[in-house]
Amino acid sequence: MNKTIDKKYLIPFILITACFALWGFANDITNPMVKAFSKIFRMSVTEGSLVQLAFYGGYFAMAFPAAIFIRKYSYRAGVLVGLGLYAFGALLFWPAKEIGIYAFFLVAYFILTCGLSFLETSCNPYIIAMGDEESGTRRLNFAQCFNPCGSIIGMFVAMNFIQAKLSPMTTEERALLDDSQFEALKQSDLSVLVTPYLLIAVAIAVIVVLICIVRMPNKGEENHDIRFLETLGRIFSLKYYREGVIAQFFYVGAQIMCWTFIIQYGTPVLQGQVPNEFEQWLLSILHYDTPAVLDERAAEVLSQGYNILAMAFFIVSRFICTYLMKFLNPGLMLTLFGSIAMVLICGVIFFQGRSGVYCLVGVSGCMSLMFPTIYGIALKGLGDDAKFGAAGLIMAILGGSVLPPAQAAIIDMKEISGFPAVNLSFFLPFICFVVVATYGWRMAKARR
């Protein structure tokens, strides 16, 4: 890793990489909230998925303003503003809980992710700038390895400190409560939900202090001229960049769909099943008493356990892919992993049992290299235009806002021509992986 990270950038690299973990935490404490909010506010899956719309809408709205700010000031200033908005959005969960209206939580999520948009627009190209351009994609893959570490912590917190402490009443049982009983239960559940967000605001404050006192590099920040339309015209005239933005849109959509709806997919599959030895072990490490037959609550917890397992697989695969990138063309790797993901998604769609859950876990291993590799390929050679190039790629995260509600609408149909709608809904991620694999193949051919 000596050729990938210069020693003089080591401490700044560590601090910026910590930010990758911070937004990984935010992403994956949020995914289970779709089901949690649906229960707390007695809503459909489609209404609950508005959390993802607000979350990824913030990314879209703030990407180019963040790029303009970074161009005028610096990557470091962009990181600090991003962390500030992140903390402010997290703190807004307290008044949202006091008001007790779903829309206020959506506002808090939107502001929080405006901060994440600043962070990702700043941190990704900042990492690439901390060394020579040739090793930039590999360096970004390495930094991105710590993003899913934050994701696993987010999942663990969501499961053990939110979902486990929420009322075990099912959606159907909540529907039978009168208004006063429902309001009391809602306030109790919301108190549980907001606590982790308040604690993450404290963690962010620590990172802000460290970045303020450590001398950060200013490489790639010599030009502060803002020629917005001229720069956009220049970068979008490049085929590899333009197609990279499209591929990133579909990849992020696939990622969020696979991770958000693993609970909706796994719960009905596992409910009523006798847990096998592996599932008994998984429930034990999740501190959940294993029943003789899985009820809805146990199946939901087990599905979240499989989600954490998927994230662990994602992390291991990303480290392996970062190493293999020393020897293999990134575009070819993107094609290979995208193709395997398509095969596994077919298993998710057509298997109606545990095998489908296993396939869905396996998809995470294929997704591990996709985001940073698309990012690195698309930004290569942009030079000072990388700030605006990064913003376009961050705006592509809108895929995580647009596509999950579409999948949720299919899931809400329950059944389509006698086939489980949740299974058929995974045709959307399949299409996404077709786009990603095609981009990898086209870029590999262009490089040759």
Side-chain angles (χ1 to χ4, degrees):
M1 204 45 81
N2 290 337
K3 293 183 179 180
T4 304
I5 305 169
D6 195 313
K7 287 184 179 179
K8 66 181 178 181
Y9 296 134
L10 183 59
I11 300 302
F13 180 87
I14 291 170
L15 287 174
I16 298 303
T17 299
C19 295
F20 283 69
L22 282 174
W23 76 65
F25 177 90
N27 279 307
D28 285 276
I29 197 175
T30 301
N31 290 337
M33 294 303 102
V34 172
K35 192 167 182 71
F37 276 116
S38 295
K39 277 190 172 183
I40 292 170
F41 287 97
R42 296 192 295 198
M43 300 182 301
S44 67
V45 177
T46 303
E47 290 172 309
S49 70
L50 291 176
V51 167
Q52 300 290 32
L53 185 63
F55 193 90
Y56 291 97
Y59 273 106
F60 180 82
M62 198 53 64
F64 275 116
I68 292 169
F69 180 88
I70 295 161
R71 182 69 167 258
K72 186 173 182 180
Y73 297 101
S74 66
Y75 286 126
R76 177 178 176 272
V79 171
L80 291 173
V81 170
L83 290 170
L85 286 171
Y86 184 174
F88 180 59
L91 291 171
L92 284 179
F93 275 71
W94 178 257
K97 174 257 176 186
E98 292 298 309
I99 296 168
I101 297 175
Y102 180 51
F104 283 88
F105 284 96
L106 299 182
V107 171
Y109 273 120
F110 181 81
I111 292 172
L112 184 152
T113 49
C114 284
L116 299 188
S117 185
F118 255 91
L119 278 182
E120 294 213 38
T121 304
S122 306
C123 292
N124 285 295
Y126 204 7
I127 288 292
I128 291 175
M130 291 183 187
D132 65 275
E133 187 179 42
E134 192 59 34
S135 61
T137 299
R138 192 163 71 251
R139 185 164 49 255
L140 182 58
N141 265 276
F142 181 66
Q144 285 272 3
C145 288
F146 296 90
N147 173 262
C149 294
S151 296
I152 281 192
I153 296 171
M155 287 181 180
F156 180 82
V157 169
M159 186 171 58
N160 288 280
F161 298 97
I162 296 179
Q163 290 174 305
K165 295 187 177 182
L166 294 177
S167 169
M169 292 183 70
T170 64
T171 304
E172 292 74 17
E173 291 170 336
R174 290 168 186 258
L176 300 175
L177 298 176
D178 61 36
D179 289 344
S180 61
Q181 291 173 322
F182 169 65
E183 191 62 33
L185 182 62
K186 183 179 76 173
Q187 281 300 312
S188 173
D189 282 347
L190 289 178
S191 296
V192 170
L193 187 145
V194 303
T195 303
Y197 287 93
L198 301 180
L199 293 176
I200 194 62
V202 175
I204 293 167
V206 173
I207 299 295
V208 167
V209 170
L210 290 173
I211 291 175
C212 286
I213 63 178
V214 169
R215 185 174 181 178
M216 303 293 287
N218 58 1
K219 187 175 178 182
E221 298 178 350
E222 295 80 10
N223 186 358
H224 295 284
D225 291 338
I226 299 171
R227 297 178 180 178
F228 184 66
L229 295 178
E230 179 184 325
T231 304
L232 283 189
R234 190 163 53 242
I235 62 177
F236 276 99
S237 68
L238 302 171
K239 181 177 70 173
Y240 69 90
Y241 175 78
R242 186 172 62 247
E243 293 182 6
V245 172
I246 295 169
Q248 201 73 290
F249 175 91
F250 282 99
Y251 163 67
V252 175
Q255 175 189 292
I256 302 307
M257 286 187 285
C258 289
W259 287 349
T260 298
F261 298 115
I262 191 171
I263 297 175
Q264 279 81 1
Y265 181 88
T267 300
V269 167
L270 298 170
Q271 188 175 351
Q273 300 280 343
V274 176
N276 57 35
E277 289 186 11
F278 174 75
E279 290 169 346
Q280 291 173 22
W281 170 80
L282 191 56
L283 286 170
S284 69
I285 65 172
L286 297 173
H287 306 292
Y288 193 89
D289 293 334
T290 306
V293 176
L294 295 168
D295 57 15
E296 181 185 4
R297 176 63 182 154
E300 188 176 306
V301 170
L302 186 56
S303 297
Q304 185 63 23
Y306 274 117
N307 204 10
I308 291 177
L309 190 65
M311 188 57 65
F313 191 27
F314 183 92
I315 293 173
V316 173
S317 178
R318 180 166 277 177
F319 276 105
I320 293 171
C321 290
T322 301
Y323 175 75
L324 291 176
M325 211 162 279
K326 285 184 175 182
F327 315 105
L328 300 176
N329 181 290
L332 285 177
M333 290 184 68
L334 202 57
T335 302
L336 174 63
F337 280 76
S339 300
I340 296 171
M342 288 156 57
V343 173
L344 290 172
I345 285 291
C346 286
V348 174
I349 295 168
F350 296 109
F351 293 148
Q352 296 190 42
R354 286 188 176 93
S355 298
V357 178
Y358 299 154
C359 287
L360 194 48
V361 170
V363 169
S364 287
C366 299
M367 293 194 296
S368 62
L369 90 160
M370 292 182 181
F371 183 93
T373 302
I374 295 170
Y375 206 102
I377 292 172
L379 287 188
K380 191 169 184 179
L382 289 190
D384 200 51
D385 288 344
K387 296 181 181 70
F388 287 101
L393 289 161
I394 295 305
M395 286 185 75
I397 290 176
L398 181 69
S401 174
V402 173
L403 296 176
Q407 186 176 13
I410 297 173
I411 294 171
D412 278 335
M413 294 170 71
K414 305 299 183 185
E415 197 174 276
I416 300 173
S417 300
F419 206 79
V422 66
N423 290 53
L424 292 178
S425 73
F426 279 89
F427 271 117
L428 288 179
F430 179 86
I431 294 168
C432 294
F433 289 126
V434 171
V435 175
V436 171
T438 302
Y439 176 69
W441 178 247
R442 286 171 62 80
M443 293 306 103
K445 284 177 64 179
R447 184 164 182 175
R448 285 202 301 270

